[in-house]
């Protein structure tokens, strides 16, 4: 799993400064990768199954509502990265914000893919976002 997340997150370049590279590869990349997947899946489940199926909120099934959750998911992914890097006490560097931006983009992608897979189980939003 570490190698998978390492390859995904190092697409933007190697961690900086080089002294912190082992912390990124062994701790931060797997943590933010798994958190990103879990949070994205949870947001999709909340949108499709909790709000639009269990609660039956027929007015919260539009594309703009889905976009709110998409953007919220990207924001949470960004903040999780900043939180994880500060929790591991790595050196402050602009790489942290590039990594957080990349993680937010990946969060948007995961949310979109999970939406395509899980949207059919919703009674009110089975056609959202399309």
């Amino acid at each position: 799993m570490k190698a998978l997340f390492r390859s995904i997150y190092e697409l933007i370049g190697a961690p900086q400064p080089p002294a912190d590279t082992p912390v990124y590869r062994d701790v931060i990349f797997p943590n933010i990768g798994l958190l990103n997947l879990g949070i994205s899946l949870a947001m999709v489940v909340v949108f499709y199954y909790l709000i639009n199926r269990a609660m039956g909120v027929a007015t919260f099934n539009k594309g703009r509502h889905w976009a709110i959750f998409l953007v919220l998911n990207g924001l949470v992914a960004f903040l999780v990265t900043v939180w994880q890097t500060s929790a591991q006490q790595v050196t402050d560097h602009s790489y942290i914000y590039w990594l957080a931006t990349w993680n937010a983009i990946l969060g948007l992608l995961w949310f979109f893919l999970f939406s395509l897979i899980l949207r059919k189980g919703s009674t009110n939003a089975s056609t959202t976002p399309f």
Side-chain angles (χ1 to χ4, degrees), residues 56-125:
V57 180
T59 60
F60 203 77
N61 60 356
K62 308 286 188 253
R64 66 180 174 270
H65 302 125
W66 179 85
I68 290 169
F69 269 76
L70 178 74
V71 170
L72 183 62
N73 186 60
L75 179 64
V76 169
F78 185 92
L79 295 174
V80 161
T81 305
V82 174
W83 167 65
Q84 276 292 306
T85 55
S86 67
Q88 296 302 321
Q89 299 175 345
V90 294
T91 307
D92 284 336
H93 195 274
S94 64
Y95 179 79
I96 292 171
Y97 298 102
W98 284 109
L99 178 63
T101 303
W102 179 237
N103 197 44
I105 292 168
L106 290 174
L108 299 176
L109 176 70
W110 292 127
F111 186 88
F112 180 75
L113 292 176
F114 287 140
S115 290
L116 293 179
I117 295 168
L118 298 175
R119 69 187 178 130
K120 293 299 179 192
S122 175
T123 53
N124 292 331

Side-chain angles (χ1 to χ4, degrees), residues 16-70:
Q16 297 294 326
D20 289 332
T21 299
V23 176
Y24 278 100
R25 289 180 177 164
D26 294 335
V27 180
I28 295 173
F29 290 161
N31 285 355
I32 64 173
L34 290 173
L35 283 169
N36 201 359
L37 284 172
I39 290 169
S40 297
L41 180 60
M43 294 285 279
V44 168
V45 167
V46 165
F47 179 76
Y48 285 107
Y49 293 98
L50 184 63
I51 293 174
N52 283 300
R53 184 178 176 141
M55 291 175 56
V57 180
T59 60
F60 203 77
N61 60 356
K62 308 286 188 253
R64 66 180 174 270
H65 302 125
W66 179 85
I68 290 169
F69 269 76
L70 178 74

